[in-house]
Amino acid sequence: MTGHPSPEAPEVPEAPRGPSAKDAAEAVRSRINTAQPHTARIWNYWLGGKDNYAVDREAGDRIRELHPGIGDYARADRQFLGRAVRHLVADRGVRQFLDVGTGLPTADNTHEVAQRIAPESRVVYVDNDPLVLTHARALLTSSPEGRTDYLDADMRDVDRVLEHAGRTLDFSEPVALMLLGVVIFIDDDQEAYGVVRRLMEALPSGSHLVLSHTITSPAMPDVDAAVAFWNEHGTPKLTQRTPEQVARFFDGLDLLDPGVVSCSRWRPEGGGQGLPDEVAMYAGVARKA
């Protein structure tokens, strides 16, 4: 381990007064395992956040030893989110987002990027990580003109996700489905493709799929080693797919240029913002006809 200095553990917000609220908060706390590293908290650590524990920092440092460029993936994926949302809002007129696999709140969350351009934008966040749930209030700081909401659920529960999202989003108007680094947690290919297909089938014409996914490639053997270490020690387990398998998630949709590519090569701004040309996180944006 690299022995990174340990900042204070993430602060879990106090429960509102009242027995039921207190019980609910305790139930959430009981789901947070501080003895095992968790991918959302490690991602937060790589992005410079404070919502992580010593076990996450140790695992993150070990993974970085196996694959020194791993921190670039977190940055590349986050910057891809910003570019994709800005394009959809400014150039495609999208005003609604269903962000599944939200992760821990950080700078420039989906609603912040969208509402900076179009304050009336609406965003529904979905995640099943209890630590994300404790910080969900940071995802609910909508502009007065727009709306944000949060659902504690697994993306596999498609019916529940869509039913809840329909309380905030108008499914007669285009919606951008954001699936950044989340389908990697579904190891069965048939189930993974099926979940994405069912979500997109519920959305109207003019909707978009924004998806990123860790790849496996003979050119990047250290990535495989880092993922193998993670799957042995961390939770939840990750599934890598080839670039061709990632592209299959967009079957039946109209891919926007430049197609399914490294996150750092999807319409880079400012010369790529200091990122390498190729990272093992591939992404794409596609429109539903």
Side-chain angles (χ1 to χ4, degrees):
M1 304 302 172
T2 61
H4 184 87
S6 298
E8 295 181 2
E11 180 179 325
V12 178
E14 290 297 323
R17 294 186 178 183
S20 60
K22 182 177 180 180
D23 290 346
E26 288 302 323
V28 171
R29 288 188 180 94
S30 70
R31 290 166 52 196
I32 300 175
N33 183 356
T34 62
Q36 185 176 33
H38 191 287
T39 182
R41 302 193 305 253
I42 291 180
W43 205 256
N44 175 267
Y45 168 51
W46 285 333
L47 286 170
K50 297 181 179 179
D51 296 315
N52 48 77
Y53 296 91
V55 66
D56 306 307
R57 297 187 287 274
E58 291 172 4
D61 289 339
R62 177 59 180 144
I63 292 171
R64 192 149 43 194
E65 289 174 6
L66 293 168
H67 182 52
I70 192 70
D72 291 332
Y73 298 5
R75 292 173 52 225
D77 195 51
R78 197 68 191 179
Q79 291 178 16
F80 165 70
L81 179 151
R83 297 195 304 274
V85 171
R86 284 192 293 273
H87 172 72
L88 292 176
V89 175
D91 301 329
R92 300 273 170 167
V94 175
R95 297 293 183 267
Q96 302 188 110
F97 294 82
L98 177 54
D99 189 333
V100 181
T102 304
L104 286 162
T106 183
D108 283 344
N109 300 297
T110 297
H111 74 281
E112 293 169 324
V113 177
Q115 292 179 352
R116 198 172 295 142
I117 302 169
E120 71 275 18
S121 298
R122 298 184 173 200
V123 180
V124 173
Y125 293 104
V126 180
D127 206 300
N128 66 343
D129 182 344
L131 189 58
V132 177
L133 176 59
T134 66
H135 291 272
R137 62 185 180 187
L139 297 170
L140 302 176
T141 54
S142 174
S143 66
E145 301 91 337
R147 286 183 62 188
T148 60
D149 194 12
Y150 180 87
L151 172 64
D152 177 28
D154 191 298
M155 70 177 296
R156 297 175 181 87
D157 194 349
V158 173
D159 291 339
R160 182 172 178 231
V161 168
L162 292 172
E163 189 276 332
H164 184 93
R167 302 174 191 175
T168 299
L169 307 179
D170 179 358
F171 283 169
S172 69
E173 297 291 333
V175 176
L177 173 63
M178 312 287 291
L179 298 174
L180 272 64
V182 63
V183 187
I184 59 176
F185 301 124
I186 304 179
D187 60 351
D188 182 85
D189 287 346
Q190 184 174 357
E191 182 180 19
Y193 293 125
V195 166
V196 176
R197 183 176 62 252
R198 287 181 60 200
L199 287 168
M200 286 304 299
E201 284 176 347
L203 305 181
S205 174
S207 294
H208 289 75
L209 171 62
V210 182
L211 182 145
S212 67
H213 197 298
T214 304
I215 66 160
T216 180
S217 168
M220 298 180 175
D222 49 347
V223 176
D224 295 347
V227 171
F229 173 85
W230 171 258
N231 285 342
E232 182 180 353
H233 299 282
T235 185
K237 309 304 181 188
L238 311 182
T239 298
Q240 295 166 276
R241 293 183 170 92
T242 65
E244 293 76 19
Q245 289 174 315
V246 176
R248 279 188 55 195
F249 286 106
F250 298 94
D251 284 356
L253 305 174
D254 298 327
L255 265 172
L256 277 57
D257 290 336
V260 179
V261 297
S262 167
C263 282
S264 55
R265 290 193 283 114
W266 197 90
R267 306 191 179 199
E269 301 166 352
Q273 297 170 290
L275 293 171
D277 185 59
E278 190 78 2
V279 298
M281 179 72 74
Y282 268 46
V285 180
R287 182 183 183 275
K288 181 176 179 179

